[in-house]
Amino acid sequence: MRARNYALASGLTDRAELTDYSGLVRLENRLEIWSDALQSALDEHEIVVIPAREKPYYIDRQIVIGSNRRIEAAGATVIQTPGCELLMLRNSTAANGTHAPIGKAERNCNISIIGGHFEESRRSRAGYGTSGKFDPERSFYGVSTLFFFNNMENLTLEGVTFAHTGGFAVQIGDITDAVFERIRFEECYADGIHVNGNTKNLLCRDIKGQVGDDLVALNAYDWQNSSVDFGPISTVLCDDLELSPDSRYKAIRIEPGRYYYDDGSEVDCSLTDAIFRNIRGIRTFKLYYQTPRYKLGSAPERGGVGSADNLFFEDIVVDLCSPIDEFDDYLNSDPIRGSFAAFELGANIGFLSLENIELTLYKDKYPFSYLLCCGPKSIVSDGNEIFDPYLSSRIERLDLASVSVNGKRVDNLDGLLREIEFDDVDGDGHSTAAGRIGEVCLDGTPIMTKNNIPT
């Protein structure tokens, strides 16, 4: 897939420099606004080179990119003007899959962005509906990003740096063949690369930097304020990911789930055939369905547990120095609600492999901290349930190999795995569920215990 993307991009030949369109530049508030110049260059040429220079190029509106286009911006800085609420770059066939699946009649292909420093004029997270909107009316309610690409194929971003993004840096979905390589984040305030459903063939390699939320999120299911693409994600390689130590939230969200369209039809937003390899700086991998918080006694958003299969986590270092979500039940080690782990699972998973995992636990301070938990979660805050304690889930087979805890190679799983069970934990008649782990193998040897889980 990567070779195919690069072959398509290298086949483009019609080239122009952005400065060829300098006659369309206007001066506002002492800033050079290049929006009209960039849009015209992309409309008329396959390749647009944004020349390197010290002075930034300012953009004050959305730029739309058609098929068979490449932007080359090494050494250039492109900044969104202060107060701009729209996203910066999107593809021309972008579509809204919130209410019904997106048809495949018209899809862009072969868009690449090579090099460049792209940023917003913000210094904090803006919040959904404030920045990164698709249009002033927010007709694509779930879009909140600087770059947005969906309903297309053959997307490549290489050597790109993002800074000060008030929403996601990049949001994609309903996409086939997407490559992200050598991507850097500097003081970004939400997710770095936010991947939504109906995505097939995804490479995320050498992704590093500072973000306010997930470095890479694979949200096949998502809340409606965070996605317009719902469905499966398949065939994924995430390799060489590193979150900076000063990042606020040290997690990677992987979210299967079941989504319902307006007509009541349902889709399993699953994740299959995915490798997560050589990852540093992440404290928790959150692989569970979660609705928006809801008042106790009221119904949560309609949905359900999703599925996953053939998931491989390799060469990962986790320092579980504290719970990723610092609620009192976790901090104070509540025996019912207080379990947390490096891998928190709440999906129906066929096969899951953990190999070459280096974990540091602090059992003296957090006795209910684990390598892996499976099952429901529950936290009540101000009369709201944060999670979904009514949802059961299971893993059919869990393989572990070369796992070390606190510097010692693991030869048994005592105190490392937990199946979580709730019996009406919220007292509302809607909070009973359990997690189950089926076959467990450690370094090739089957582990036989009650429910295959050491007590």
Side-chain angles (χ1 to χ4, degrees), residues 115-223:
H117 182 107
F118 296 84
E119 65 177 88
E120 296 181 29
S121 297
R122 300 185 184 274
R123 294 300 179 265
S124 64
R125 185 163 185 168
Y128 302 111
T130 302
S131 73
K133 294 190 294 184
F134 186 85
D135 53 31
E137 298 75 27
R138 199 185 176 191
S139 62
F140 286 36
Y141 186 77
V143 170
S144 178
T145 186
L146 189 65
F147 287 9
F148 178 66
F149 297 98
N150 85 335
N151 191 32
M152 66 165 293
E153 54 195 41
N154 310 116
L155 172 70
T156 301
L157 269 65
E158 179 188 350
V160 178
T161 296
F162 296 93
H164 304 298
T165 50
F168 309 137
V170 183
Q171 183 175 354
I172 67 169
D174 274 275
I175 193 167
T176 302
D177 296 354
V179 173
F180 298 90
E181 291 193 286
R182 296 192 298 110
I183 306 298
R184 297 294 181 266
F185 301 104
E186 298 176 357
E187 296 185 55
C188 293
Y189 308 119
D191 290 355
I193 298 174
H194 186 87
V195 181
N196 290 130
N198 294 319
T199 294
K200 182 178 181 180
N201 300 340
L202 171 68
L203 172 62
C204 297
R205 176 180 285 146
D206 191 3
I207 314 293
K208 300 176 182 179
Q210 183 192 60
V211 295
D213 208 335
D214 304 303
L215 183 64
V216 175
L218 300 184
N219 290 13
Y221 163 88
D222 210 338
W223 298 351

Side-chain angles (χ1 to χ4, degrees), residues 14 21 64 91 203 207 241 276 335 393:
D14 176 29
Y21 291 79
V64 179
N91 62 298
L203 172 62
I207 314 293
L241 312 184
F276 302 85
S393 56

Side-chain angles (χ1 to χ4, degrees), residues 8 35 41 60 71 76 111 127 143 147 150 163 180 187 199 234 243 248 272 285 322 342 347 372 385 413 418 441:
L8 286 170
S35 307
D60 68 343
I71 295 174
I111 295 175
V143 170
F147 287 9
N150 85 335
F180 298 90
E187 296 185 55
T199 294
S234 64
L243 185 67
R248 184 184 64 84
T272 55
F285 295 84
S322 65
L372 180 148
E385 174 60 68
L413 298 176
R418 180 162 183 174
C441 285

Side-chain angles (χ1 to χ4, degrees), residues 205-393:
R205 176 180 285 146
D206 191 3
I207 314 293
K208 300 176 182 179
Q210 183 192 60
V211 295
D213 208 335
D214 304 303
L215 183 64
V216 175
L218 300 184
N219 290 13
Y221 163 88
D222 210 338
W223 298 351
Q224 288 199 357
N225 66 2
S226 306
S227 179
V228 294
D229 304 282
F230 301 88
I233 297 176
S234 64
T235 316
V236 175
L237 173 59
C238 292
D239 184 24
D240 191 14
L241 312 184
E242 185 173 349
L243 185 67
S244 64
D246 55 357
S247 293
R248 184 184 64 84
Y249 197 70
K250 297 175 173 60
I252 284 182
R253 167 73 78 172
I254 304 163
E255 189 165 13
R258 305 195 76 84
Y259 183 76
Y260 291 84
Y261 292 108
D262 291 357
D263 65 359
S265 61
E266 177 184 3
V267 60
D268 181 10
C269 304
S270 60
L271 174 66
T272 55
D273 302 332
I275 298 172
F276 302 85
R277 183 173 65 200
N278 188 18
I279 300 177
R280 301 294 184 268
I282 300 300
R283 192 183 305 167
T284 296
F285 295 84
K286 307 175 73 168
L287 205 162
Y288 52 83
Y289 168 81
Q290 182 181 359
T291 62
R293 64 179 63 195
Y294 58 93
K295 284 284 185 183
L296 289 181
S298 66
E301 182 179 282
R302 188 182 185 189
V305 168
S307 66
D309 199 11
N310 286 340
L311 307 185
F312 299 82
F313 294 84
E314 305 174 4
D315 302 323
I316 296 171
V317 177
V318 174
D319 185 351
L320 199 60
C321 58
S322 65
I324 191 67
D325 299 308
E326 296 187 342
F327 294 110
D328 286 345
D329 286 339
Y330 297 134
L331 295 171
N332 299 327
S333 300
D334 180 84
I336 298 175
R337 289 186 168 99
S339 297
F340 64 93
F343 297 87
E344 297 187 348
L345 311 181
N348 291 325
I349 301 172
F351 178 77
L352 173 67
S353 170
L354 304 180
E355 184 175 357
N356 293 329
I357 309 296
E358 298 179 20
L359 173 65
T360 302
L361 289 177
Y362 301 82
K363 286 281 192 178
D364 54 340
K365 186 174 183 180
Y366 300 112
F368 300 117
S369 59
Y370 301 91
L371 168 66
L372 180 148
C373 288
C374 178
K377 293 169 66 69
S378 174
I379 294 291
V380 176
S381 176
D382 296 326
N384 293 295
E385 174 60 68
I386 306 299
F387 297 103
D388 299 275
Y390 53 90
L391 295 175
S392 294
S393 56

